[in-house]
Amino acid sequence: MILLRGQAVRDMYLLVSIAIRKMTTEGYKVEPKLFDLQQELLHGLNAATDELSKRRQGDVAKEPIPQQLSIGSAEAAEILGCSRRHVQRIARSLDGRRTGAGALEFDRNVVMAYGAGGLVA
């Protein structure tokens, strides 16, 4: 038994599909189990894609932060005394939300409370 996840499923599906196509064009008989493997890989690839899509929906489902309290990663980093990259890493702890453009935004009060608690590393 071999466990494939993520990109490995996509790569294996591609390789099996290429092998089937090459065997067919060169006149070799393709065993039915190879087609079964291709279908199983496609099913796994679709299931993985669906799961990722479900997880990503949580990023945008929250209510927007009121404009007067909304700050970006740079301002949050300044308040916390850390880098923007660190703010991006702890975005979930800061209740960060994605804007329509994909940027992170934070509630200033949440960032201030987080920093006041001495939780910034």
Side-chain angles (χ1 to χ4, degrees):
M1 176 189 282
I2 297 174
L3 176 64
L4 300 175
R5 295 186 305 197
Q7 187 65 36
V9 176
R10 183 182 316 259
D11 293 343
M12 186 58 74
Y13 174 75
L14 178 64
L15 290 171
V16 169
S17 297
I18 290 170
I20 290 171
R21 189 175 326 119
K22 186 78 171 163
M23 291 174 75
T24 303
T25 59
E26 293 191 9
Y28 291 97
K29 180 181 179 206
V30 180
E31 295 289 325
K33 63 184 174 183
L34 197 54
F35 287 111
D36 292 343
L37 175 59
Q38 183 187 36
Q39 289 304 311
E40 286 296 319
L41 288 167
L42 182 59
H43 176 71
L45 184 60
N46 289 336
T49 302
D50 290 346
E51 183 59 33
L52 282 175
S53 181
K54 287 177 190 171
R55 279 191 249 150
R56 288 185 186 134
Q57 296 305 316
D59 285 351
V60 294
K62 297 178 182 177
E63 290 294 320
I65 297 169
Q67 189 63 34
Q68 71 272 15
L69 297 177
S70 176
I71 60 172
S73 299
E75 191 173 344
E78 188 176 314
I79 291 169
L80 297 174
C82 63
S83 69
R84 284 180 61 208
R85 180 66 189 121
H86 185 68
V87 168
Q88 292 168 349
R89 282 188 207 107
I90 63 171
R92 186 167 277 164
S93 298
L94 296 172
D95 199 25
R97 298 169 189 188
R98 296 262 177 216
T99 64
L104 283 168
E105 70 175 358
F106 304 92
D107 182 322
R108 173 186 288 281
N109 293 333
V110 172
V111 173
M112 297 289 278
Y114 189 92
L119 300 172
V120 181

